Amino acid sequence: MLPQRLVVGLACALLFSPILGLSLCLVWLAVYLLLQLAEAAAFASVTRGQAMTLKGWRGALGDLALTANAGVYASIAIPLWTLGGLPGGVVATTLLAAGAINSVIASAGNLRVFIWTVTPQVAVLALTPFFMAQSSVEGRFILPVAVGVLAFVFFCLTTRSRLYAAGAAEARALKEADDKRREAESIMAGRSALLAAVAHDLRTPIGAILTGAHELSRVAAPSSSSTRQQTAMIEDAGLMMKELLDDLLDHARLDAGRLKVETRGFDLRDLLNHTFRLWQGPVRAKGLRLRLDGSRYMPRIVQGDAMRLRQVLNNLISNAVKFTDSGAVTVRLCAWRDEAGRHVLLIDVADTGPGMTTSQLERLFTPFDQTADGVAARYGGSGLGLAISRDLIELMGGRLTVRSEAGQGSTFTVALTLSEGEGDGEVAAFLAAPPLTGAPSAATPTRRPLPMDAPSAPREETETPLAAAPAEPDHDAERPLRVLVVDDHAINRRAVQVILQALDCELTMAEDGMAALKACDADIFDVIFMDVRMPELDGRETTRRLRAGGGPNADAPVIAVTADTSPEDIAACLEAGMNHFVAKPLTPAVLLTALSEVLDPAGDAEVGAQAVA
């Protein structure tokens, strides 16, 4: 309050100088200003946050400074009465009342400050009846003034009590609110951790379902159509469970604030074309039309998160197809440049479905709200997709909105601003999990293409070094592919075994990191599938020790098998020395593609696809 006090002191000295004289006012002002400095020095440790209150001799010095400050302020009332007469007394009474009220408000939380600041002003104010008697004021006016002074003192005490009680209640409310906030954050963190843990554990049986369904479909190819249909139903159910699981993980990460978007160059037209082609078959199968308008106006190379944008578009188109029984699903595209040269995109996904009522629109982006009005029973789903899509677009700095009327269909609009990209961008890099970009060391053995079961499968010939004798047959190229599978869960190890049984492989299983290191000391492997999350010694630390050990497998390609596919988790795998990763739950196509890429990155990538077929 020092600036306020300085202003008040200067104003009083100037205004009262015609009544009291300039010299007296200047002396009063000088003393008043010195006391302000003394009080500031006395309470310096409190104002700097070094102490909550003054104790000992410092406390006594602070009390003295407060009393002297309030006393000097109140003392100006005495010459106002004696030199200014009754008019000066009116000014003095008003000045003292204002000062007392200010002290009551300022010291509401501290009784000690209240006593030492209000007492001098109230004491001088109590002299008002005596000053009135000296000014020859009639007694019938003095008694009411005396009663008024007492009432004012009582008002100051009760007001201070109420302010103190209100302040204490506010402090308690703030503490309770802070406690509840921390409790809510703890509950949210626990729920997110539980969702992530459950989702991670569910990937193991889902991976087994998908792997078993794929193997059944291969075996059941010459069997009856009924068997093939049942196998296809199992595989569809597994894929549905995987999609729901991915939504659940995204929702948990968004709740915990761990989901982030990337900014990399990609081909936007390629993304839109692939997405459009992906949905042509399902749309035609339902008897609908799929239209794409304005794609030629879209920019080509932009900066953003291609995978997340494609996830949002797939979700919007999937919802449109799901809720539309007849008519068409239309994707309208529009783009222009803003003042900063960035691309502003508007992407409309419109359908001719039943539309939505106002109440449905109000809860549209609420997670797990598909149970309302029987939506889940009729169409399926968890109600997470739209909520996740909205949050993802907002993380990218855009907006997802909807326009709909009952019976008039619905239109979802993505408004997004993306910066100009450089070069060719990542062409369709979002279609599959990207490999880790860590390059193997120079000592990495030449990687061989995947050998097939057929005995007539061609073998790669090795180059003959210059000035060397005629090359002898490469017996190593004739041996089966040696694969080490490291996973603490037997179902995951069995899933990899089932997928790789179509290849000419020698499989070695290890149930933890220590067993994997022992196996690597005993044999040489062409590739290692390494689970990331394992007890005691996890996959990353196992890979670090493998690389640092200098053994026969120090440079063997390591494929991370993980349910954590965020950029931070992938970067951690890369830093640990892993070469590639596959996401759980495992599918034959993804695993075999990863195997082809790490063994023969420059060769024919169709080998894995042939094995899947």
Side-chain angles (χ1 to χ4, degrees):
M1 299 184 67
L2 183 60
Q4 177 184 339
R5 291 180 177 181
L6 294 178
V7 171
V8 171
L10 289 172
C12 290
L14 292 174
L15 294 174
F16 298 159
S17 58
I19 303 174
L20 307 177
L22 182 60
S23 59
L24 178 60
C25 289
L26 289 177
V27 171
W28 176 85
L29 179 61
V31 176
Y32 183 74
L33 294 179
L34 287 175
L35 286 174
Q36 304 308 313
L37 296 178
E39 182 179 319
F43 286 91
S45 60
V46 176
T47 56
R48 292 172 184 168
Q50 299 173 349
M52 294 296 296
T53 185
L54 298 179
K55 299 180 180 179
W57 66 270
R58 295 181 184 275
L61 181 61
D63 294 342
L64 180 61
L66 290 172
T67 305
N69 205 329
V72 169
Y73 174 81
S75 66
I76 196 68
I78 297 176
L80 285 173
W81 270 108
T82 57
L83 299 178
L86 189 59
V90 174
V91 175
T93 303
T94 304
L95 188 69
L96 291 170
I101 292 174
N102 182 68
S103 297
V104 168
I105 296 173
S107 62
N110 193 306
L111 181 61
R112 183 174 174 181
V113 175
F114 171 77
I115 292 173
W116 295 119
T117 56
V118 174
T119 299
Q121 300 177 79
V122 170
V124 177
L125 185 63
L127 298 175
T128 301
F130 298 100
F131 287 127
M132 292 177 66
Q134 290 182 353
S135 300
S136 302
V137 177
E138 297 181 18
R140 60 194 178 112
F141 294 107
I142 295 177
L143 182 60
V145 170
V147 173
V149 170
L150 292 176
F152 179 77
V153 173
F154 180 75
F155 165 78
C156 289
L157 293 173
T158 55
T159 300
R160 188 264 166 194
S161 177
R162 291 173 181 172
L163 288 175
Y164 179 78
E170 181 182 3
R172 288 194 301 270
L174 289 174
K175 184 178 184 303
E176 290 177 2
D178 191 55
D179 291 342
K180 290 181 179 179
R181 178 186 59 81
R182 285 197 295 266
E183 182 181 357
E185 289 177 350
S186 177
I187 292 174
M188 290 295 293
R191 190 186 75 171
S192 298
L194 176 63
L195 286 175
V198 170
H200 184 275
D201 292 340
L202 284 176
R203 288 183 179 274
T204 294
I206 292 175
I209 291 172
L210 290 174
T211 302
H214 174 265
E215 182 63 16
L216 284 174
S217 66
R218 188 178 67 86
V219 175
S223 302
S224 65
S225 61
S226 175
T227 303
R228 291 195 299 271
Q229 290 174 359
Q230 293 174 1
T231 302
M233 181 181 65
I234 296 174
E235 191 166 11
D236 289 342
L239 291 173
M240 183 182 297
M241 292 173 65
K242 178 181 180 298
E243 291 174 359
L244 292 173
L245 189 60
D246 290 338
D247 283 346
L248 191 63
L249 275 175
D250 282 345
H251 180 67
R253 289 168 181 161
L254 284 166
D255 268 355
R258 292 183 60 245
L259 188 61
K260 299 179 181 179
V261 295
E262 296 183 339
T263 301
R264 294 189 297 182
F266 68 95
D267 192 323
L268 178 60
R269 293 187 187 178
D270 222 32
L271 182 150
L272 295 170
N273 289 332
H274 278 286
T275 303
F276 185 78
R277 288 199 297 268
L278 175 70
W279 283 101
Q280 283 180 330
V283 169
R284 281 198 301 266
K286 196 174 180 181
L288 304 175
R289 300 186 308 276
L290 180 62
R291 299 176 53 190
L292 180 64
D293 297 336
S295 61
R296 63 183 181 277
Y297 300 116
M298 302 301 285
R300 181 170 291 279
I301 307 301
V302 294
Q303 294 280 340
D305 194 321
M307 183 184 72
R308 293 302 182 183
L309 179 58
R310 183 171 184 268
Q311 178 182 349
V312 171
L313 294 178
N314 279 334
N315 183 267
L316 296 181
I317 298 175
S318 174
N319 275 354
V321 174
K322 179 167 62 176
F323 290 99
T324 303
D325 294 328
S326 63
V329 173
T330 304
V331 180
R332 289 189 292 267
L333 308 172
C334 183
W336 66 89
R337 288 183 181 270
D338 62 8
E339 296 177 352
R342 298 176 301 175
H343 297 286
V344 180
L345 310 180
L346 286 182
I347 304 175
D348 288 341
V349 179
D351 62 60
T352 56
M356 288 174 281
T357 63
T358 303
S359 61
Q360 289 173 326
L361 286 173
E362 288 175 352
R363 63 175 186 263
L364 181 63
F365 294 103
T366 303
F368 306 108
D369 198 48
Q370 286 281 54
T371 55
D373 300 334
V375 173
R378 181 178 178 186
Y379 297 103
S382 62
L384 285 175
L386 286 177
I388 292 172
S389 297
R390 180 198 57 186
D391 292 341
L392 287 176
I393 292 298
E394 289 179 354
L395 283 176
M396 298 181 203
R399 291 184 61 197
L400 174 60
T401 57
V402 59
R403 304 185 305 277
S404 182
E405 293 182 10
Q408 301 296 320
S410 304
T411 300
F412 288 84
T413 300
V414 174
L416 192 60
T417 301
L418 300 177
S419 300
E420 182 78 24
E422 298 180 358
D424 296 332
E426 296 180 2
V427 180
F430 43 87
L431 294 179
L436 297 178
T437 55
S441 65
T444 303
T446 302
R447 296 168 179 172
R448 300 180 294 112
L450 298 181
M452 307 301 294
D453 283 335
S456 59
R459 303 295 182 180
E460 181 182 49
E461 296 183 358
T462 57
E463 295 183 358
T464 303
L466 295 177
E472 296 181 359
D474 187 358
H475 299 289
D476 185 67
E478 299 296 328
R479 67 171 174 79
L481 189 71
R482 295 172 181 170
V483 180
L484 173 64
V485 180
V486 187
D487 199 299
D488 62 321
H489 208 297
I491 292 180
N492 287 333
R493 298 196 298 271
R494 173 59 179 163
V496 177
Q497 181 182 10
V498 170
I499 294 173
L500 296 182
Q501 68 183 4
L503 307 177
D504 184 14
C505 294
E506 288 183 359
L507 295 180
T508 300
M509 303 293 181
E511 61 184 11
D512 55 43
M514 296 304 299
L517 293 176
K518 291 180 181 179
C520 288
D521 290 336
D523 202 350
I524 298 177
F525 298 100
D526 297 301
V527 66
I528 300 172
F529 286 96
M530 182 76 69
D531 184 27
V532 173
R533 286 195 183 187
M534 292 186 294
E536 296 183 7
L537 194 64
D538 64 22
R540 295 187 186 119
E541 182 59 29
T542 302
T543 304
R544 291 189 190 96
R545 296 188 184 185
L546 179 66
R547 299 300 190 210
N553 294 285
D555 298 309
V558 176
I559 300 176
V561 182
T562 176
D564 303 319
T565 57
S566 67
E568 295 83 359
D569 295 316
I570 296 173
C573 291
L574 172 61
E575 184 181 357
M578 296 176 170
N579 305 90
H580 203 291
F581 82 95
V582 290
K584 293 181 179 180
L586 296 175
T587 61
V590 171
L591 188 143
L592 293 173
T593 299
L595 193 60
S596 297
E597 290 180 358
V598 298
L599 291 178
D600 189 20
D604 188 359
E606 295 181 357
V607 176
Q610 294 171 0
V612 176

mmCIF file of all heavy atoms in Angstrom, residues 573-600:
data_model
loop_
_atom_site.group_PDB
_atom_site.id
_atom_site.type_symbol
_atom_site.label_atom_id
_atom_site.label_comp_id
_atom_site.label_asym_id
_atom_site.label_seq_id
_atom_site.Cartn_x
_atom_site.Cartn_y
_atom_site.Cartn_z
ATOM 1 N N CYS A 573 13.142 -46.488 -28.762
ATOM 2 C CA CYS A 573 13.590 -47.740 -29.380
ATOM 3 C C CYS A 573 14.776 -47.491 -30.307
ATOM 4 O O CYS A 573 15.753 -48.253 -30.328
ATOM 5 C CB CYS A 573 12.438 -48.380 -30.153
ATOM 6 S SG CYS A 573 11.097 -49.015 -29.122
ATOM 7 N N LEU A 574 14.695 -46.422 -31.083
ATOM 8 C CA LEU A 574 15.785 -46.077 -31.993
ATOM 9 C C LEU A 574 17.060 -45.788 -31.222
ATOM 10 O O LEU A 574 18.152 -46.251 -31.573
ATOM 11 C CB LEU A 574 15.379 -44.868 -32.832
ATOM 12 C CG LEU A 574 16.459 -44.233 -33.715
ATOM 13 C CD1 LEU A 574 16.970 -45.236 -34.728
ATOM 14 C CD2 LEU A 574 15.928 -42.987 -34.396
ATOM 15 N N GLU A 575 16.930 -45.043 -30.138
ATOM 16 C CA GLU A 575 18.093 -44.694 -29.331
ATOM 17 C C GLU A 575 18.730 -45.933 -28.708
ATOM 18 O O GLU A 575 19.932 -45.996 -28.513
ATOM 19 C CB GLU A 575 17.676 -43.704 -28.239
ATOM 20 C CG GLU A 575 18.833 -43.203 -27.396
ATOM 21 C CD GLU A 575 18.375 -42.232 -26.317
ATOM 22 O OE1 GLU A 575 17.164 -41.914 -26.287
ATOM 23 O OE2 GLU A 575 19.209 -41.809 -25.509
ATOM 24 N N ALA A 576 17.893 -46.933 -28.394
ATOM 25 C CA ALA A 576 18.416 -48.155 -27.788
ATOM 26 C C ALA A 576 19.145 -49.044 -28.787
ATOM 27 O O ALA A 576 19.818 -49.996 -28.387
ATOM 28 C CB ALA A 576 17.280 -48.939 -27.141
ATOM 29 N N GLY A 577 19.006 -48.758 -30.096
ATOM 30 C CA GLY A 577 19.715 -49.531 -31.109
ATOM 31 C C GLY A 577 18.842 -50.467 -31.913
ATOM 32 O O GLY A 577 19.358 -51.299 -32.671
ATOM 33 N N MET A 578 17.511 -50.348 -31.773
ATOM 34 C CA MET A 578 16.616 -51.192 -32.564
ATOM 35 C C MET A 578 16.499 -50.647 -33.978
ATOM 36 O O MET A 578 16.653 -49.451 -34.214
ATOM 37 C CB MET A 578 15.243 -51.263 -31.888
ATOM 38 C CG MET A 578 15.275 -51.928 -30.515
ATOM 39 S SD MET A 578 13.679 -51.899 -29.690
ATOM 40 C CE MET A 578 13.986 -52.986 -28.294
ATOM 41 N N ASN A 579 16.200 -51.534 -34.947
ATOM 42 C CA ASN A 579 16.184 -51.159 -36.352
ATOM 43 C C ASN A 579 14.797 -50.935 -36.925
ATOM 44 O O ASN A 579 14.640 -50.260 -37.936
ATOM 45 C CB ASN A 579 16.873 -52.253 -37.181
ATOM 46 C CG ASN A 579 18.279 -52.542 -36.693
ATOM 47 O OD1 ASN A 579 18.459 -53.408 -35.836
ATOM 48 N ND2 ASN A 579 19.263 -51.820 -37.194
ATOM 49 N N HIS A 580 13.783 -51.519 -36.322
ATOM 50 C CA HIS A 580 12.434 -51.475 -36.877
ATOM 51 C C HIS A 580 11.473 -51.745 -35.730
ATOM 52 O O HIS A 580 11.900 -52.096 -34.617
ATOM 53 C CB HIS A 580 12.283 -52.550 -37.969
ATOM 54 C CG HIS A 580 11.193 -52.267 -38.965
ATOM 55 N ND1 HIS A 580 9.867 -52.298 -38.634
ATOM 56 C CD2 HIS A 580 11.256 -51.962 -40.293
ATOM 57 C CE1 HIS A 580 9.147 -52.012 -39.709
ATOM 58 N NE2 HIS A 580 9.963 -51.801 -40.730
ATOM 59 N N PHE A 581 10.187 -51.556 -35.963
ATOM 60 C CA PHE A 581 9.225 -51.926 -34.936
ATOM 61 C C PHE A 581 7.944 -52.397 -35.594
ATOM 62 O O PHE A 581 7.603 -52.006 -36.705
ATOM 63 C CB PHE A 581 8.942 -50.752 -33.986
ATOM 64 C CG PHE A 581 7.936 -49.771 -34.517
ATOM 65 C CD1 PHE A 581 6.594 -49.867 -34.173
ATOM 66 C CD2 PHE A 581 8.327 -48.743 -35.357
ATOM 67 C CE1 PHE A 581 5.670 -48.961 -34.664
ATOM 68 C CE2 PHE A 581 7.418 -47.838 -35.852
ATOM 69 C CZ PHE A 581 6.076 -47.946 -35.498
ATOM 70 N N VAL A 582 7.232 -53.285 -34.884
ATOM 71 C CA VAL A 582 5.887 -53.697 -35.283
ATOM 72 C C VAL A 582 4.980 -53.475 -34.079
ATOM 73 O O VAL A 582 5.382 -53.684 -32.930
ATOM 74 C CB VAL A 582 5.834 -55.169 -35.737
ATOM 75 C CG1 VAL A 582 6.551 -55.344 -37.053
ATOM 76 C CG2 VAL A 582 6.433 -56.090 -34.679
ATOM 77 N N ALA A 583 3.764 -53.031 -34.354
ATOM 78 C CA ALA A 583 2.834 -52.701 -33.284
ATOM 79 C C ALA A 583 1.983 -53.902 -32.920
ATOM 80 O O ALA A 583 1.553 -54.667 -33.772
ATOM 81 C CB ALA A 583 1.944 -51.532 -33.710
ATOM 82 N N LYS A 584 1.747 -54.070 -31.642
ATOM 83 C CA LYS A 584 0.804 -55.082 -31.178
ATOM 84 C C LYS A 584 -0.615 -54.538 -31.342
ATOM 85 O O LYS A 584 -0.830 -53.333 -31.221
ATOM 86 C CB LYS A 584 1.054 -55.413 -29.711
ATOM 87 C CG LYS A 584 2.372 -56.121 -29.433
ATOM 88 C CD LYS A 584 2.486 -56.422 -27.948
ATOM 89 C CE LYS A 584 3.787 -57.152 -27.628
ATOM 90 N NZ LYS A 584 3.912 -57.445 -26.176
ATOM 91 N N PRO A 585 -1.592 -55.408 -31.582
ATOM 92 C CA PRO A 585 -1.479 -56.857 -31.776
ATOM 93 C C PRO A 585 -0.855 -57.184 -33.131
ATOM 94 O O PRO A 585 -1.077 -56.488 -34.120
ATOM 95 C CB PRO A 585 -2.922 -57.333 -31.690
ATOM 96 C CG PRO A 585 -3.738 -56.159 -32.094
ATOM 97 C CD PRO A 585 -3.001 -54.967 -31.613
ATOM 98 N N LEU A 586 -0.091 -58.259 -33.150
ATOM 99 C CA LEU A 586 0.621 -58.645 -34.364
ATOM 100 C C LEU A 586 -0.344 -59.153 -35.426
ATOM 101 O O LEU A 586 -1.298 -59.862 -35.128
ATOM 102 C CB LEU A 586 1.635 -59.737 -34.041
ATOM 103 C CG LEU A 586 2.765 -59.351 -33.086
ATOM 104 C CD1 LEU A 586 3.608 -60.571 -32.766
ATOM 105 C CD2 LEU A 586 3.623 -58.250 -33.673
ATOM 106 N N THR A 587 -0.048 -58.786 -36.663
ATOM 107 C CA THR A 587 -0.766 -59.340 -37.813
ATOM 108 C C THR A 587 0.274 -59.896 -38.777
ATOM 109 O O THR A 587 1.397 -59.379 -38.861
ATOM 110 C CB THR A 587 -1.612 -58.272 -38.519
ATOM 111 O OG1 THR A 587 -0.757 -57.227 -38.990
ATOM 112 C CG2 THR A 587 -2.647 -57.686 -37.575
ATOM 113 N N PRO A 588 -0.051 -60.932 -39.506
ATOM 114 C CA PRO A 588 0.938 -61.530 -40.419
ATOM 115 C C PRO A 588 1.501 -60.531 -41.419
ATOM 116 O O PRO A 588 2.702 -60.528 -41.680
ATOM 117 C CB PRO A 588 0.141 -62.645 -41.099
ATOM 118 C CG PRO A 588 -0.925 -63.010 -40.120
ATOM 119 C CD PRO A 588 -1.302 -61.732 -39.441
ATOM 120 N N ALA A 589 0.641 -59.702 -42.008
ATOM 121 C CA ALA A 589 1.122 -58.782 -43.044
ATOM 122 C C ALA A 589 2.158 -57.821 -42.493
ATOM 123 O O ALA A 589 3.217 -57.602 -43.092
ATOM 124 C CB ALA A 589 -0.070 -58.011 -43.633
ATOM 125 N N VAL A 590 1.890 -57.237 -41.334
ATOM 126 C CA VAL A 590 2.814 -56.255 -40.748
ATOM 127 C C VAL A 590 4.114 -56.923 -40.342
ATOM 128 O O VAL A 590 5.219 -56.412 -40.608
ATOM 129 C CB VAL A 590 2.148 -55.564 -39.545
ATOM 130 C CG1 VAL A 590 3.161 -54.704 -38.802
ATOM 131 C CG2 VAL A 590 0.983 -54.700 -40.010
ATOM 132 N N LEU A 591 4.032 -58.098 -39.713
ATOM 133 C CA LEU A 591 5.248 -58.761 -39.248
ATOM 134 C C LEU A 591 6.125 -59.196 -40.412
ATOM 135 O O LEU A 591 7.350 -58.994 -40.392
ATOM 136 C CB LEU A 591 4.871 -59.949 -38.365
ATOM 137 C CG LEU A 591 6.031 -60.636 -37.637
ATOM 138 C CD1 LEU A 591 5.591 -61.080 -36.242
ATOM 139 C CD2 LEU A 591 6.526 -61.849 -38.404
ATOM 140 N N LEU A 592 5.537 -59.779 -41.438
ATOM 141 C CA LEU A 592 6.332 -60.253 -42.575
ATOM 142 C C LEU A 592 6.901 -59.090 -43.388
ATOM 143 O O LEU A 592 8.009 -59.181 -43.924
ATOM 144 C CB LEU A 592 5.484 -61.159 -43.457
ATOM 145 C CG LEU A 592 5.081 -62.497 -42.806
ATOM 146 C CD1 LEU A 592 4.111 -63.248 -43.689
ATOM 147 C CD2 LEU A 592 6.323 -63.348 -42.526
ATOM 148 N N THR A 593 6.145 -57.995 -43.465
ATOM 149 C CA THR A 593 6.675 -56.819 -44.159
ATOM 150 C C THR A 593 7.884 -56.271 -43.415
ATOM 151 O O THR A 593 8.906 -55.912 -44.029
ATOM 152 C CB THR A 593 5.590 -55.741 -44.277
ATOM 153 O OG1 THR A 593 4.499 -56.258 -45.030
ATOM 154 C CG2 THR A 593 6.132 -54.497 -44.962
ATOM 155 N N ALA A 594 7.810 -56.197 -42.092
ATOM 156 C CA ALA A 594 8.941 -55.726 -41.304
ATOM 157 C C ALA A 594 10.145 -56.645 -41.470
ATOM 158 O O ALA A 594 11.292 -56.189 -41.590
ATOM 159 C CB ALA A 594 8.542 -55.632 -39.833
ATOM 160 N N LEU A 595 9.885 -57.945 -41.504
ATOM 161 C CA LEU A 595 10.974 -58.910 -41.676
ATOM 162 C C LEU A 595 11.652 -58.725 -43.028
ATOM 163 O O LEU A 595 12.881 -58.753 -43.143
ATOM 164 C CB LEU A 595 10.418 -60.330 -41.531
ATOM 165 C CG LEU A 595 11.432 -61.466 -41.380
ATOM 166 C CD1 LEU A 595 12.279 -61.252 -40.149
ATOM 167 C CD2 LEU A 595 10.700 -62.799 -41.302
ATOM 168 N N SER A 596 10.858 -58.510 -44.073
ATOM 169 C CA SER A 596 11.425 -58.288 -45.401
ATOM 170 C C SER A 596 12.277 -57.022 -45.442
ATOM 171 O O SER A 596 13.351 -56.997 -46.044
ATOM 172 C CB SER A 596 10.303 -58.190 -46.442
ATOM 173 O OG SER A 596 9.590 -59.400 -46.530
ATOM 174 N N GLU A 597 11.801 -55.977 -44.793
ATOM 175 C CA GLU A 597 12.507 -54.693 -44.854
ATOM 176 C C GLU A 597 13.838 -54.724 -44.118
ATOM 177 O O GLU A 597 14.810 -54.120 -44.564
ATOM 178 C CB GLU A 597 11.608 -53.594 -44.294
ATOM 179 C CG GLU A 597 10.423 -53.269 -45.195
ATOM 180 C CD GLU A 597 9.550 -52.169 -44.621
ATOM 181 O OE1 GLU A 597 9.850 -51.703 -43.508
ATOM 182 O OE2 GLU A 597 8.565 -51.799 -45.281
ATOM 183 N N VAL A 598 13.913 -55.413 -42.984
ATOM 184 C CA VAL A 598 15.181 -55.434 -42.256
ATOM 185 C C VAL A 598 16.176 -56.418 -42.848
ATOM 186 O O VAL A 598 17.395 -56.238 -42.733
ATOM 187 C CB VAL A 598 14.967 -55.760 -40.756
ATOM 188 C CG1 VAL A 598 14.112 -54.706 -40.097
ATOM 189 C CG2 VAL A 598 14.380 -57.148 -40.568
ATOM 190 N N LEU A 599 15.675 -57.479 -43.518
ATOM 191 C CA LEU A 599 16.588 -58.455 -44.096
ATOM 192 C C LEU A 599 17.050 -58.069 -45.493
ATOM 193 O O LEU A 599 18.173 -58.371 -45.886
ATOM 194 C CB LEU A 599 15.916 -59.835 -44.154
ATOM 195 C CG LEU A 599 15.674 -60.513 -42.803
ATOM 196 C CD1 LEU A 599 14.967 -61.832 -42.997
ATOM 197 C CD2 LEU A 599 16.997 -60.711 -42.063
ATOM 198 N N ASP A 600 16.187 -57.432 -46.259
ATOM 199 C CA ASP A 600 16.539 -57.068 -47.632
ATOM 200 C C ASP A 600 15.877 -55.733 -47.973
ATOM 201 O O ASP A 600 14.930 -55.684 -48.754
ATOM 202 C CB ASP A 600 16.072 -58.162 -48.586
ATOM 203 C CG ASP A 600 16.610 -57.944 -50.000
ATOM 204 O OD1 ASP A 600 17.615 -57.213 -50.137
ATOM 205 O OD2 ASP A 600 16.012 -58.494 -50.941
#
